[in-house]
Amino acid sequence: MSLAASFHPDLARRYGTLLGNEARARGIDVLYGPAMNIVRVPVGGRNFEYFSEDPYLTAQLAVPYVRGVQSQRVAAQIKHFALNNQENDRHSASSNADERTMREIYLPAWQAAVQQGHSWSLMCANNKINGIYACESSWLLRNTLANDWGFDGVVGSDYAATRSAVGSVTAGLDQSFTLRDWGAFYRDLPQMVRAEQIPGSAIDERARRILRMMFRIGLFDGERRKPAVDVLGHGAFARRVAEEGTVLLRNRRRVLPLEAAGLGSIAVIGPYAKQAYTGGGGSSHVVPYYSVTPTEGIARRAGPGARVSGDDGSDVDRAVALARRSDVVVAVVGDQSQEGRDRTSMDLPGNQNQLIAAVASANPDTVVVLQTGAPVTMPWLDRVPTIVEAWYPGQEHGNALAAVLFGDVDPSGRLPVTFPTGVGAVPAMGAPRYPAGPSGYEYSEGLNVGYRAYDADARGVLFPFGYGLSYTSFKYSDLAVRKSRSAVRLTFTVTNIGTRTGVSVPQAYVRFPREVGEPPQQLKAFERQVLPAHAAQRVTLTLPTHAFEYWSAGRWRTARGSYRVSVGSSSRDLRLSALLTPPVSAK
């Protein structure tokens, strides 16, 4: 989630390259990632592992991530294919969606990772899709993945996802990684082959695909040298990812950036004040080489002239007393998402909301730092001037947070998910959409997922998709539209009208003709750029013909009529727009 918040594809490539390097150094041939499921409901237990609520943004980060991993001759196993958008009942429940919804929302990132990222491996999910287990779905694995997209890599199962030897092999499963007590695949496969219930040709094809991946990762190249791991260099990169993914949500009265020279005392309060939270629970959990806590990072950056005190916030009265005698408060709070179960609410756990309200009342210069894997409610929103979303920021969190708080780097992250006002405001929440009904999770909200849903009925949100503040401000002007046979190019000027260097992330959205039945607008292009104070730059965003297509009657189509293209700094801050008739791709 933090990587996606960077809106920075080249950072994702370098991120994948680093992961591939560390995997290769440990003799690991296949890395289980990236996880690419769409964030459908904010309480999903594994949202922190996923990129975004938007298929385009997910694809733009997943493709270079895959390429980076595989540049080290380690296979990237993209997961969990598909519609594994919630953790509760994942081994038994069915995710039920129509084909248009799947093709436009839940499958595009997978198609991009296969056709553009050339992923060597894929993991099919535990859940059912329209009543059929994902690892036994011929429509998903054979028709769509292999035939439509041309995937020639290895399909492996999630660790409890193989239920039937005949069903899975027939559908296109190549490798079964199943739990011992669910060993139907291993128990049944030999006798099924002997009885010719599974043809030998199917086994040959499975073996061929596995051997192909073994050649790709170099298992037949002789001795495979393990690269050295640059611990400090990788730590520095982890810091950069944390910095670029940090989102400044609010900065009233310009509390940030902090000026070290004017601060005598800083209180770092909260359950994560003295803990570097490196990730959620489950199979993604890692133990870093080292870690830097928020209190340590802030103290190091503030220097000897400031007294930096840390308090875990367990005693609210003690925390309030510390807040009162400090010049500024940094409240570091968060949640603990994990694989295997969804969150029970969007609230910060324990006494954290009460803690924030109390210290903010004691000290008006309170900066709330959220370490969360997904959106949370903010009942204290109007009491605090400054809010920072840091996600699960990794081993260098303390240094990265200090760099943002003191203005050494611009807070350049943008929200890859909408922050709704609460669970009740999420269109996908409520049985049988979520939690599941008797037939499973009904994706009856269709295309209206994430910001598409909130825009469809003009629903209020805490913070919109694509949103994020900077320590400077940007002006957009002079939109020009050029159309060719293969693309539409939007060219415009972005001007830094502030006094500091900052990062701008202009985003392009497309509105389809009303009769097509698409959501109000959809992200189709973006670009990240660093602009010095008072500098202006012409930016060109390219929208290929596919950006104007929708799925109907078994294929992609372009509707007749006018499309509106808009450019702005978030899904709800669109500053320039134009009408056009898009080019139509040759089928």
Side-chain angles (χ1 to χ4, degrees):
M1 190 75 79
S2 177
L3 179 63
S6 74
F7 276 65
H8 196 168
D10 187 61
L11 190 74
R13 178 191 57 79
R14 294 182 57 195
Y15 183 102
T17 301
L18 183 151
L19 294 180
N21 172 265
E22 293 209 2
R24 188 70 183 259
R26 290 164 177 77
I28 294 170
D29 301 316
V30 182
L31 183 72
Y32 289 168
M36 306 194 313
N37 297 98
I38 294 295
V39 176
R40 176 178 178 250
V41 291
V43 296
R46 265 180 128 160
N47 285 346
F48 69 94
E49 286 191 60
Y50 303 147
F51 288 100
S52 171
E53 67 189 23
D54 181 76
Y56 178 79
L57 177 61
T58 299
Q60 294 305 300
L61 276 296
V63 166
Y65 180 128
V66 168
R67 290 174 176 171
V69 171
Q70 295 184 169
S71 72
Q72 304 302 297
R73 298 195 77 177
V74 172
Q77 186 169 100
I78 54 179
K79 64 179 189 179
H80 311 87
F81 194 57
L83 277 70
N84 185 180
N85 309 101
Q86 46 274 318
E87 287 297 282
N88 288 355
D89 306 315
R90 63 176 177 163
H91 296 296
S92 56
S94 179
S95 297
N96 303 321
D98 63 85
E99 185 173 1
R100 180 176 181 179
T101 296
M102 288 191 281
R103 293 281 188 176
E104 294 192 25
I105 301 294
Y106 297 102
L107 298 184
W110 302 95
Q111 183 173 0
V114 168
Q115 295 184 328
Q116 300 170 35
H118 306 291
S119 176
W120 295 339
S121 189
L122 174 146
M123 180 188 291
C124 51
N126 278 299
N127 55 278
K128 298 175 185 175
I129 298 174
N130 294 327
I132 300 173
Y133 281 107
C135 293
E136 299 178 17
S137 173
S138 294
W139 178 85
L140 189 67
L141 300 183
R142 187 179 64 240
N143 297 356
T144 302
L145 179 65
N147 296 345
D148 291 356
W149 301 346
F151 179 70
D152 65 356
V154 171
V155 177
S157 70
D158 204 340
Y159 270 68
T162 307
R163 302 302 187 98
S164 159
V166 174
S168 57
V169 172
T170 301
L173 182 70
D174 299 305
Q175 287 183 307
S176 176
F177 300 100
T178 192
L179 300 179
R180 183 176 298 173
D181 56 344
W182 285 12
F185 187 92
Y186 298 118
R187 184 182 65 245
D188 298 344
L189 184 60
Q191 65 188 41
M192 295 295 180
V193 174
R194 285 193 294 268
E196 298 184 347
Q197 292 178 276
I198 297 176
S201 59
I203 301 300
D204 290 344
E205 178 58 24
R206 307 283 81 76
R208 183 179 297 110
R209 287 174 175 268
I210 294 168
L211 284 166
R212 182 186 295 131
M213 185 172 74
M214 293 170 72
F215 277 107
R216 284 169 166 168
I217 61 182
L219 285 179
F220 301 112
D221 291 354
E223 182 181 358
R224 303 175 73 207
R225 292 187 179 181
K226 295 181 180 179
V229 173
D230 180 2
V231 173
L232 295 182
H234 287 187
F237 183 75
R239 173 177 174 171
R240 180 179 174 186
V241 174
E243 290 171 351
E244 293 196 12
T246 299
V247 184
L248 180 60
L249 297 176
R250 171 173 286 186
N251 194 24
R252 292 179 177 172
R253 296 191 285 103
R254 296 189 180 274
V255 173
L256 296 182
L258 301 175
E259 297 290 343
L263 290 174
S265 57
I266 304 171
V268 187
I269 297 173
Y272 301 103
K274 298 181 180 181
Q275 175 183 347
Y277 194 34
T278 57
S283 58
S284 70
H285 177 71
V286 296
V287 179
Y289 293 107
Y290 68 89
S291 62
V292 182
T293 71
T295 300
E296 291 170 340
I298 291 170
R300 186 177 301 153
R301 176 58 181 82
R307 184 180 72 256
V308 179
S309 305
D311 189 290
D312 66 7
S314 57
D315 185 327
V316 175
D317 291 337
R318 185 184 65 207
V320 166
L322 176 60
R324 283 201 180 103
R325 62 177 184 265
S326 302
D327 293 333
V328 66
V329 174
V330 180
V332 188
V333 296
D335 63 12
Q336 293 183 328
S337 298
Q338 68 178 63
E339 177 185 0
R341 69 172 184 236
D342 295 333
R343 295 190 294 164
T344 56
S345 79
M346 282 180 57
D347 298 333
L348 289 169
N351 73 336
Q352 293 182 87
N353 282 330
Q354 299 156 298
L355 176 67
I356 294 169
V359 298
S361 295
N363 190 322
D365 290 336
T366 293
V367 178
V368 175
V369 178
L370 298 169
Q371 290 188 175
T372 67
V376 292
T377 57
M378 303 181 193
W380 34 262
L381 180 63
D382 294 330
R383 302 188 188 186
V384 300
T386 306
I387 307 169
V388 172
E389 175 58 76
W391 315 106
Y392 294 163
Q395 66 186 55
E396 278 276 341
H397 180 215
N399 289 333
L401 176 61
V404 172
L405 296 183
F406 285 91
D408 301 330
V409 297
D410 195 43
S412 55
R414 301 296 184 265
L415 290 182
V417 289
T418 303
F419 274 52
T421 56
V423 169
V426 181
M429 297 292 290
R433 291 178 176 176
Y434 183 98
S439 299
Y441 295 98
E442 303 298 335
Y443 287 41
S444 55
E445 71 276 8
L447 306 177
N448 289 327
V449 177
Y451 67 91
R452 291 165 167 80
Y454 303 109
D455 291 345
D457 59 5
R459 189 171 303 201
V461 299
L462 290 184
F463 299 101
F465 174 85
Y467 171 86
L469 300 176
S470 166
Y471 290 148
T472 187
S473 299
F474 300 95
K475 175 184 175 183
Y476 293 66
S477 60
D478 303 325
L479 175 65
V481 180
R482 289 180 298 156
K483 187 173 71 172
S484 68
R485 291 184 176 180
S486 60
V488 171
R489 290 174 175 81
L490 310 177
T491 303
F492 52 94
T493 300
V494 178
T495 305
N496 183 343
I497 58 175
T499 59
R500 302 172 61 98
T501 295
V503 177
S504 170
V505 186
Q507 303 154 38
Y509 293 80
V510 172
R511 181 185 293 266
F512 284 63
R514 186 184 301 272
E515 59 272 14
V516 176
E518 289 288 296
Q521 57 201 16
Q522 303 173 46
L523 179 71
K524 296 297 182 181
F526 61 85
E527 182 175 300
R528 177 189 172 98
Q529 55 186 182
V530 179
L531 280 178
H534 310 301
Q537 182 174 324
R538 289 293 280 176
V539 177
T540 297
L541 299 180
T542 301
L543 281 63
T545 54
H546 185 63
F548 303 94
E549 294 178 335
Y550 67 101
W551 185 266
S552 176
R555 68 181 182 89
W556 293 101
R557 302 171 185 267
T558 304
R560 294 181 179 180
S562 295
Y563 288 67
R564 180 175 293 277
V565 291
S566 302
V567 174
S569 62
S570 79
S571 62
R572 293 203 171 179
D573 184 14
L574 301 177
R575 308 181 189 183
L576 308 172
S577 64
L579 292 174
L580 59 87
T581 302
V584 178
S585 60
K587 300 295 186 189

